[in-house]
Amino acid sequence: MPPRPPFPPFDEASARQKVQAAEDAWNTRDPERVALAYTEDSVWRNRDTFLAGRAEIVAFLRQKWARELDYALRKELWSYDGNRIAVRFQYECHDAAGQWWRNYGNELWEFDEDGLMLRREAGIHDVAITEAERRIFGPRPEGETGRPIPFR
């Protein structure tokens, strides 16, 4: 795999860059593209699902985006140290029945020396919302990059 800058150890600017790159990639809803940011043997915990390896990540993301329709994500840097980054995030989507959801979560990331993610642990909580309560509409516009996401 080609390296994925920025590389650890992270400073604030490089950690923010890594977080924004992840947000941008996930908003493409392209499992193969997203998976390129992870090592071949990357391990994940996503809610109560445990994954190992890029092939499982791709399969998981295909299923996720088949049921989480019109998915749109915002990530925010929480903390960083060495080769680790902590992120808080929110995303919105709707299911096949038309119910909209806002999903709140935190992720812990660990990177190798080439800037690929070795480990991802995500805790996520879903809140049903009405369509009128939506506030995330597609990828983040240029002027909003780096802006904090609201708490509620």
Side-chain angles (χ1 to χ4, degrees), residues 65-85:
W65 289 321
R67 71 178 181 277
E68 293 182 352
L69 307 174
D70 294 320
Y71 172 98
L73 167 73
R74 297 293 183 270
K75 291 185 181 283
E76 183 179 339
L77 176 65
W78 191 259
S79 182
Y80 62 92
D81 184 42
N83 70 333
R84 294 179 174 164
I85 295 176

Side-chain angles (χ1 to χ4, degrees), residues 57-72:
I57 292 168
V58 168
F60 172 84
L61 292 174
R62 279 190 187 130
Q63 292 173 356
K64 172 185 177 62
W65 289 321
R67 71 178 181 277
E68 293 182 352
L69 307 174
D70 294 320
Y71 172 98

Side-chain angles (χ1 to χ4, degrees), residues 76-140:
E76 183 179 339
L77 176 65
W78 191 259
S79 182
Y80 62 92
D81 184 42
N83 70 333
R84 294 179 174 164
I85 295 176
V87 174
R88 78 179 194 91
F89 65 89
Q90 294 174 27
Y91 69 88
E92 293 177 354
C93 61
H94 67 87
D95 58 29
Q99 174 61 58
W100 281 93
W101 300 92
R102 183 171 304 124
N103 302 271
Y104 296 87
N106 299 292
E107 294 176 305
L108 304 175
W109 299 344
E110 184 176 2
F111 294 87
D112 72 5
E113 63 278 353
D114 290 325
L116 295 169
M117 197 179 300
L118 291 164
R119 181 180 191 102
R120 174 184 174 267
E121 295 188 35
I124 306 168
H125 303 280
D126 311 326
V127 176
I129 61 172
T130 66
E131 189 168 2
E133 292 174 300
R134 290 183 61 209
R135 63 171 181 248
I136 303 174
F137 301 93
R140 194 184 296 245

